[in-house]
Amino acid sequence: MAFAWKASGLTYNKYLSVAAGVVRRSLKESERLKAEKRGLTELRFAKWSNGKQGDVKNVAEANAAAAAEASSSS
């Protein structure tokens, strides 16, 4: 027996994301706002060289900057 999310072609992480969004939207306004804030994630990274950590950067901002640079050089 296959799971419904698997049969529809979703990954398990995407299925959980969709389900969490549905639950958040069904909450009352005050609780929904709290849940949405908890649902935000911020991923950061830093390059290491010679055993020393470089600047910590936000992944979303770094991706946007790299995409802008790539489009301007093309």
Side-chain angles (χ1 to χ4, degrees), residues 24 27 31-41:
R24 284 188 203 107
L27 297 172
E31 298 301 318
R32 183 181 59 80
L33 293 174
K34 290 178 191 175
E36 284 179 356
K37 287 180 185 175
R38 283 193 310 266
L40 296 176
T41 45

Side-chain angles (χ1 to χ4, degrees), residues 3-65:
F3 294 104
W5 57 267
K6 196 178 237 183
S8 67
L10 294 175
T11 64
Y12 187 67
N13 285 339
K14 183 65 177 174
Y15 163 73
L16 288 178
S17 175
V18 170
V22 169
V23 170
R24 284 188 203 107
R25 284 193 306 266
S26 69
L27 297 172
K28 292 182 181 177
E29 185 69 20
S30 63
E31 298 301 318
R32 183 181 59 80
L33 293 174
K34 290 178 191 175
E36 284 179 356
K37 287 180 185 175
R38 283 193 310 266
L40 296 176
T41 45
E42 187 174 302
L43 186 60
R44 296 174 181 236
F45 74 98
K47 289 188 177 182
W48 288 73
S49 63
N50 298 326
K52 302 211 181 214
Q53 180 179 355
D55 294 334
V56 177
K57 298 179 183 177
N58 184 307
V59 170
E61 293 170 3
N63 283 342

